[in-house]
Amino acid sequence: MKIYIQAKPRSGRIQIERLAENEYKVWLKASPVKGEANFELIKALADYFGIAKSRIAIISGKTGHQKIVEIV
């Protein structure tokens, strides 16, 4: 399954909001330095969906706010 993420790093909270069928907005505490926000995004999505972090991969947008994430 592929989902589309609008990431908001440095927001002071971790929250996931479902916008549409496969679209989510995710607020993250981490800054986008050295991939910290991406690691936090994967952990937050794993907790949200109740799956292992290893089943989640960012396939597009690693350095941007708009991301495509694949969940296996």
Side-chain angles (χ1 to χ4, degrees):
M1 167 173 79
K2 290 182 184 174
I3 61 173
Y4 301 89
I5 302 290
Q6 181 180 8
K8 301 287 186 178
R10 288 182 283 197
S11 67
R13 62 185 164 153
I14 298 174
Q15 180 180 338
I16 299 175
E17 177 183 331
R18 185 175 181 183
L19 303 175
E21 176 80 24
N22 288 330
E23 295 181 34
Y24 296 84
K25 183 183 280 188
V26 182
W27 289 266
L28 303 164
K29 290 182 180 181
S31 66
V33 177
K34 297 182 182 177
E36 292 175 15
N38 288 337
F39 290 126
E40 188 170 86
L41 172 66
I42 290 172
K43 183 179 181 328
L45 290 173
D47 291 344
Y48 182 82
F49 289 110
I51 59 174
K53 292 183 288 187
S54 62
R55 294 184 57 197
I56 300 172
I58 300 172
I59 58 173
S60 177
K62 289 184 180 181
T63 60
H65 293 282
Q66 304 293 325
K67 301 178 185 300
I68 298 175
V69 175
E70 186 171 43
I71 299 174
V72 194

